[in-house]
Amino acid sequence: DTEVTQTPKHLVMGMTNKKSLKCEQHMGHRAMYWYKQKAKKPPELMFVYSYEKLSINESVPSRFSPECPNSSLLNLHLHALQPEDSALYLCASSQEWTNTGELFFGEGSRLTVL
Amino acid sequence: AQSVTQLDSHVSVSEGTPVLLRCNYSSSYSPSLFWYVQHPNKGLQLLLKYTSAATLVKGINGFEAEFKKSETSFHLTKPSAHMSDAAEYFCVVSDRTGRRALTFGSGTRLQVQP
């Protein structure tokens, strides 16, 4: 199994809603990542988890709250988002948090904030 | 500090003709370099990687890239384009030190004409 599975694929939410994005991998990878991608732009790193501990937070606003319940799961909790947060949110994993760059990406969750 | 420049935002080729996507990098240290591909509404997939072994790197789907240190380039090529190659391509650099974060280029959209 070489997949990273993200749910939901599409999400529409209002600015007062609370929702969560979920990511799962069963490759035994110990590093997991959240990226944000705006249209026609490259992905931007948001968070890195290594061995279930938050290792990088790229100064992401607190309305985005990551959680890593176990080595296979990664969540992104969303609250009080702004319309400019609308984007494709990509989850990725790698065997270790190294610089080899070999990331496995999910297909993303497309978020629209009204 | 590291950076990567993709010299063309858009490349259009005819099916069966060669593909050249250009990438220049800047890195303080010996870099690792990668090409990722993103098909519409999909996640990113690793095409190939350079990590200081052979300078000519072969990837999936007939793509290859050559690391040229003197030119600080890592151009992606394919002898014969296929319709299914139409996608966004990202050149990525990792300097193997420090924060172990990847730096993405701005992307090149490849269009393949029948």
Side-chain angles (χ1 to χ4, degrees):
Chain A
D1 185 356
T2 58
E3 281 191 350
V4 175
T5 304
Q6 290 188 242
T7 56
K9 291 193 184 304
H10 300 276
L11 179 62
V12 179
M13 59 186 292
M15 289 190 284
T16 58
N17 293 156
K18 286 185 180 181
K19 297 285 185 183
S20 297
L21 306 180
K22 298 186 183 302
C23 175
E24 190 169 4
Q25 57 88 13
H26 294 290
M27 295 177 279
H29 289 175
R30 303 316 301 263
M32 296 187 77
Y33 310 76
W34 280 115
Y35 281 84
K36 174 183 178 179
Q37 187 179 26
K38 301 284 276 185
K40 302 188 189 303
K41 297 289 187 183
E44 299 172 8
L45 183 64
M46 300 175 72
F47 303 104
V48 179
Y49 273 83
S50 177
Y51 286 84
E52 301 158 47
K53 292 192 182 337
L54 184 63
S55 299
I56 286 184
N57 176 344
E58 290 284 36
S59 303
V60 179
S62 60
R63 58 186 184 267
F64 295 91
S65 175
E67 177 195 22
C68 190
N70 60 54
S71 60
S72 300
L73 294 174
L74 185 65
N75 299 322
L76 186 63
H77 302 299
L78 314 171
H79 175 52
L81 294 193
Q82 304 296 311
E84 59 264 29
D85 296 322
S86 298
L88 181 68
Y89 289 84
L90 293 163
C91 174
S93 70
S94 63
Q95 197 158 23
E96 299 279 343
W97 179 40
T98 67
N99 43 34
T100 64
E102 293 188 63
L103 303 186
F104 289 77
F105 282 85
E107 294 197 348
S109 293
R110 188 164 297 282
L111 173 66
T112 302
V113 182
L114 301 177
Chain B
Q2 57 190 24
S3 66
V4 59
T5 302
Q6 293 184 240
L7 298 167
D8 307 290
S9 60
H10 181 253
V11 170
S12 182
V13 301
S14 298
E15 191 174 20
T17 64
V19 175
L20 170 64
L21 305 184
R22 298 182 295 164
C23 173
N24 286 115
Y25 71 91
S26 171
S27 177
S28 303
Y29 302 92
S30 180
S32 294
L33 292 157
F34 313 87
W35 278 97
Y36 278 83
V37 61
Q38 185 176 30
H39 287 91
N41 299 312
K42 298 291 185 183
L44 283 76
Q45 180 184 20
L46 180 66
L47 268 182
L48 50 80
K49 63 175 181 176
Y50 166 77
T51 55
S52 82
T55 57
L56 182 62
V57 181
K58 294 190 184 299
I60 61 172
N61 300 334
F63 284 94
E64 63 181 37
E66 186 171 8
F67 174 72
K68 292 187 176 180
K69 186 175 181 179
S70 61
E71 299 176 11
T72 61
S73 69
F74 190 58
H75 301 335
L76 182 70
T77 60
K78 182 174 181 178
S80 176
H82 191 272
M83 295 295 291
S84 60
D85 295 328
E88 189 84 19
Y89 291 80
F90 293 99
C91 183
V92 180
V93 64
S94 169
D95 70 4
R96 311 195 208 180
T97 64
R99 297 175 60 255
R100 293 176 279 179
L102 305 179
T103 299
F104 282 77
S106 55
T108 298
R109 179 162 296 277
L110 176 64
Q111 187 177 16
V112 182
Q113 308 280 5

